[in-house]
Amino acid sequence: MKRIFSICICMLVLGCIGNDKPKRPTNLISKADMETILYDLYIINGAKGVNGKLLENNGFLPETYILEKHGIDSLQFATSNDYYAFDTEQYKGIIENVKAKLEQKKGQLEALEKEKAEVAKRKRDSLRKKGKKKQDSIRKVMEKQKDTAKYKLQELSIDN
C-alpha cells in the first residue's frame, strides 16, 4: 500500500515538472474566432446527438464541415485549443462567452416557438369560430323551417 502511494506521489511530482506554457502557435486562432468555432462545434454536436444517424447516412462529417467553414485545419485548431486551454481562466472566459451565445440563441428559438404556437392557436380558434358560426346558421335555418312547418300544421288543423 505504501509502495502504491509513493508511486502515485512520484508520478504526480514528475507530472507537474515541465508543465510550461505551450509556445504561442504561429497560426494561432484569435479568441473571437475560437469562440465562434467552439459555438459551431457545440451546435453541430447537439445536432449529432439528436440526428446522428441521419447525418451519418448523408455522409455529413461535422468536424470536417466546421474546419472547412472557418478555413482552418485540425492541427491549427488543436494547437490553438491547447494554447488557450493551458490558461484555465482565459479558456473559462471563452467557454462562458460561448455559453452566453448558446443561451441567447436558445431564448430566440424559444420565443420563435412560442410565437408559432400562438399563431397556430389563433388559427385553430378562428377555424373553430367559423365552424361554430356555420353550425349556428344551419341551426337557425332548421329552426325557421321547423317553425314554418309548425305554423303550416296549425293552419291545417284550424282549417279542418
Side-chain angles (χ1 to χ4, degrees), residues 7-21 86:
I7 290 173
C8 288
I9 295 295
C10 288
M11 289 176 68
L12 182 64
V13 169
L14 291 175
C16 293
I17 296 173
N19 274 347
D20 295 331
K21 185 173 182 175
F86 186 81

Side-chain angles (χ1 to χ4, degrees), residues 73-85:
D73 60 24
S74 58
L75 180 61
Q76 182 183 9
F77 174 73
T79 56
S80 296
N81 195 44
D82 287 345
Y83 179 78
Y84 287 122

Side-chain angles (χ1 to χ4, degrees), residues 75-115:
L75 180 61
Q76 182 183 9
F77 174 73
T79 56
S80 296
N81 195 44
D82 287 345
Y83 179 78
Y84 287 122
F86 186 81
D87 182 359
T88 55
E89 287 302 312
Q90 181 179 6
Y91 201 66
K92 182 180 177 184
I94 291 172
I95 298 299
E96 289 296 323
N97 290 342
V98 171
K99 184 179 176 183
K101 286 180 187 178
L102 288 169
E103 290 293 328
Q104 180 184 15
K105 185 58 118 181
K106 179 183 174 187
Q108 290 172 346
L109 292 174
E110 286 174 347
L112 184 63
E113 195 65 34
K114 185 177 178 182
E115 185 179 322

Side-chain angles (χ1 to χ4, degrees), residues 63-79:
E63 288 79 14
T64 305
Y65 168 75
I66 296 297
L67 296 174
E68 288 175 1
K69 177 183 175 186
H70 293 281
I72 59 173
D73 60 24
S74 58
L75 180 61
Q76 182 183 9
F77 174 73
T79 56

Side-chain angles (χ1 to χ4, degrees), residues 37-78:
I37 293 167
L38 289 173
Y39 172 82
D40 288 346
L41 279 172
Y42 284 126
I43 295 291
I44 290 289
N45 282 331
K48 199 165 74 172
V50 174
N51 290 321
K53 290 287 183 193
L54 180 67
L55 295 174
E56 205 175 279
N57 292 340
N58 290 321
F60 182 76
L61 302 171
E63 288 79 14
T64 305
Y65 168 75
I66 296 297
L67 296 174
E68 288 175 1
K69 177 183 175 186
H70 293 281
I72 59 173
D73 60 24
S74 58
L75 180 61
Q76 182 183 9
F77 174 73

Side-chain angles (χ1 to χ4, degrees), residues 115-128:
E115 185 179 322
K116 276 177 62 177
E118 288 174 1
V119 167
K121 184 182 182 311
R122 283 195 302 264
K123 188 174 181 179
R124 281 192 312 271
D125 290 348
S126 173
L127 290 173
R128 198 173 292 133

